[in-house]
């Protein structure tokens, strides 16, 4: 059962990537919509991963040795 869910997610990701490429080449409107959703979802995943890494590493220190949050 879990394998089928993972296969479905993999197919959705592959389809989204194909739509992004097709939209770059001027595909139909629905392809551009799917590509926009795919890119937005990837940005959300990227931001959540960045925030997760920041919370695991503690407060970030910039080059001057001060906290970025200050």
């Amino acid at each position: 059962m879990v394998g089928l869910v993972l296969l479905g997610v993999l197919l959705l990701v592959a389809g989204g990537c194909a739509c992004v490429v097709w939209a770059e080449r001027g595909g139909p409107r629905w392809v551009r919509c799917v590509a926009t959703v795919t890119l937005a979802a990837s940005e959300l995943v990227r931001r959540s991963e960045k925030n997760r890494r920041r919370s695991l590493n503690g407060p970030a220190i910039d080059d001057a040795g001060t906290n970025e949050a200050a």
Side-chain angles (χ1 to χ4, degrees), residues 46-56:
R46 186 179 305 132
R47 284 184 185 178
S48 69
E49 182 65 24
K50 186 186 293 185
N51 289 338
R52 189 176 74 84
R53 277 186 275 142
R54 282 184 182 167
S55 68
L56 290 176

Side-chain angles (χ1 to χ4, degrees), residues 5-70:
V5 171
L6 290 175
L7 181 61
V9 170
L10 179 64
L11 289 174
L12 284 173
V13 169
C17 291
C19 285
V20 169
V21 172
W22 191 6
E24 285 291 319
R25 297 173 180 249
R29 185 175 183 166
W30 68 269
V31 170
R32 292 191 301 269
C33 291
V34 172
T36 301
V37 170
T38 301
L39 293 173
S42 71
E43 185 63 29
L44 286 174
V45 170
R46 186 179 305 132
R47 284 184 185 178
S48 69
E49 182 65 24
K50 186 186 293 185
N51 289 338
R52 189 176 74 84
R53 277 186 275 142
R54 282 184 182 167
S55 68
L56 290 176
N57 292 336
I61 306 295
D62 64 8
D63 291 337
T66 59
N67 279 342
E68 286 179 356

